[in-house]
Amino acid sequence: MSYKALYRSYRPQTFKEVAGQEHVVTTLQNAIKENRISHAYLFAGPRGTGKTTVAKLLAKALNCTGEYPPCDICSNCKAISVGEHPDVIEIDAASNNGVDEVRDLIDKVKYAPINGKYKVYIIDEVHMLSTGAFNALLKTLEEPPQNVIFILATTEPHKIPLTIISRTQRFDFKRISTQDIVDHMAHIMQEMALDYEEQALYVIGRAAEGGMRDALSILDQTISFSDEKVTLEDAMQVTGSLTYEMMDHYIQCCVAGDVERALEGLESILGEGKEARRFLEDLLLYCRNLLMYQQAPKLLAEKAGTLTEAFKELATQTPA
């Protein structure tokens, strides 16, 4: 069997496994318990934050025959997990964005569910639909047949007509915190029985910029790059992040007013192939940590970043 990427292998199969979107999960779970299910939902937020995953979990919960939906044990849950349930239809709006495709969808909406209680349409990147397609969808979205639910997912909600948005319950997915990403990656590494340095996971978590899918893709790449153990140096190499020693040296030159050595250090950093954007991000993070260590050292936990001796010395030398 071919290798399956981490973000696919460890996709949440129950609501409790979803990381960093408690406000969405809690609201949906309460709605299911109280049988207050809307006919249309809009999931908006940055890429890789769990919109499609939660959409599938909602579809599972609505069609689950177990005691605590989604149970991930019943036949409906299993079929939805592998994408083989006839009543859960996923549509990529990027490649099916015309009026004809939407009209075909509308023609099929009127048929009753086959195996489950609800027929669920998950339309990913819905903002890619054409104006004509949105207009064709409007009436059906406003008054869908009984037991039909639409879940619209998008990274760009501002491109969706207000007439569509007003007919949905909107949930805004937030960027996942670095700590939540690190905790999830640590859980995966432990399940895979792989050795790792905690600092390496923090580097990957920061590089992912709030996206769990991006984090797991980077982790996948780092595992392939590493030799038996995922180290901080491995994560730095894969993400293109700067080492703490590089940042220590650069900031020391800046604080000392040694412009020549600072420019030489910068040239060396960029000459090694480090991206200027990544350099600026690391620089901002370093300065933030420096200020936090000066004002409230207890808030800067050891796991948030390696506190080198040079860093601690800089904190005493640099005016706040």
Side-chain angles (χ1 to χ4, degrees), residues 84-98:
E84 295 178 356
H85 199 287
D87 298 324
V88 179
I89 301 96
E90 289 187 64
I91 300 167
D92 178 17
S95 53
N96 298 279
N97 57 7

Side-chain angles (χ1 to χ4, degrees), residues 100-133:
D100 292 338
E101 287 87 347
V102 172
R103 283 177 178 164
D104 181 58
L105 181 155
I106 293 169
D107 288 339
K108 294 175 181 176
V109 161
K110 59 188 176 185
Y111 298 113
I114 300 171
N115 293 342
K117 183 179 179 182
Y118 290 93
K119 198 170 186 179
V120 182
Y121 286 87
I122 301 172
I123 306 179
D124 198 15
E125 297 301 342
V126 70
H127 65 272
M128 298 290 286
L129 291 180
S130 65
T131 303

